[in-house]
Amino acid sequence: MAKRTQTMMRALLGGALLLGALSLPATGMADDKAKMVIQVSDNDPGKWNLALNNAKNIQKDVGKDNVDIEIVAYGPGIGMLKAESEVANRIGEAVDSGVKVMACENTMRNQKLDKADMNAKVGYVPSGVVEIMQRQQKGYAYLRP
């Protein structure tokens, strides 16, 4: 009798563990927002407008409260984050709508730029490439327009 009870207990415990394991992904995914990191490393207003259009369309299509979007600029792309850039107004609008626009501090140092030179609405990361890598490790989809 003890052997039969032990076998039944194992089966019940195994079933409970299986049900718990199956419910974890559904529970975790229900609370997750969509996540997108967009790389801009070109000093080209056309590329920046495309990236900003992509961000705006993603927010419109999935709902701005359902997605976290971060645009990371480094290398030549940092030029469009300067205060007087051709796309400064659009960058401000994107930030106001919830898009994070981040400037690479490594690039800023190399180009002898400081925060006073930059659009007041952008944020900063120590390294643009590392930021993109870390975002991808956290499940962000990657886009380079």
Side-chain angles (χ1 to χ4, degrees):
M1 188 74 153
K3 192 170 189 175
R4 185 175 179 177
T5 302
Q6 195 175 29
T7 302
M8 285 180 65
M9 291 300 286
R10 284 184 184 155
L12 286 172
L13 181 59
L17 288 172
L18 179 61
L19 285 173
L22 290 174
S23 70
L24 283 176
T27 302
M29 289 177 68
D31 295 336
D32 286 347
K33 286 182 167 187
K35 299 175 274 196
M36 173 70 70
V37 62
I38 302 172
Q39 170 189 330
V40 183
S41 52
D42 299 305
N43 189 23
D44 176 2
K47 289 277 177 131
W48 266 101
N49 278 314
L50 181 57
L52 293 164
N53 289 342
N54 290 156
K56 187 175 186 175
N57 289 337
I58 293 167
Q59 285 182 322
K60 183 177 113 193
D61 293 342
V62 302
K64 106 177 176 178
D65 294 332
N66 299 321
V67 64
D68 287 330
I69 301 173
E70 182 172 332
I71 299 175
V72 180
Y74 67 89
I78 205 91
M80 291 292 121
L81 294 185
K82 291 180 184 175
E84 75 283 348
S85 88
E86 298 174 45
V87 294
N89 287 340
R90 289 218 51 217
I91 288 169
E93 291 169 6
V95 171
D96 290 344
S97 77
V99 175
K100 294 177 189 157
V101 180
M102 309 304 278
C104 171
E105 291 178 327
N106 283 338
T107 299
M108 289 174 61
R109 258 189 312 282
N110 290 339
Q111 293 187 15
K112 296 180 180 23
L113 297 170
D114 59 33
K115 292 178 181 178
D117 299 314
M118 308 303 286
N119 185 319
K121 294 197 175 188
V122 303
Y124 301 92
V125 294
S127 169
V129 173
V130 171
E131 178 73 4
I132 292 168
M133 178 183 69
Q134 290 173 339
R135 289 297 179 198
Q136 286 183 289
Q137 289 171 336
K138 291 179 181 175
Y140 278 62
Y142 168 80
L143 177 67
R144 181 175 183 203

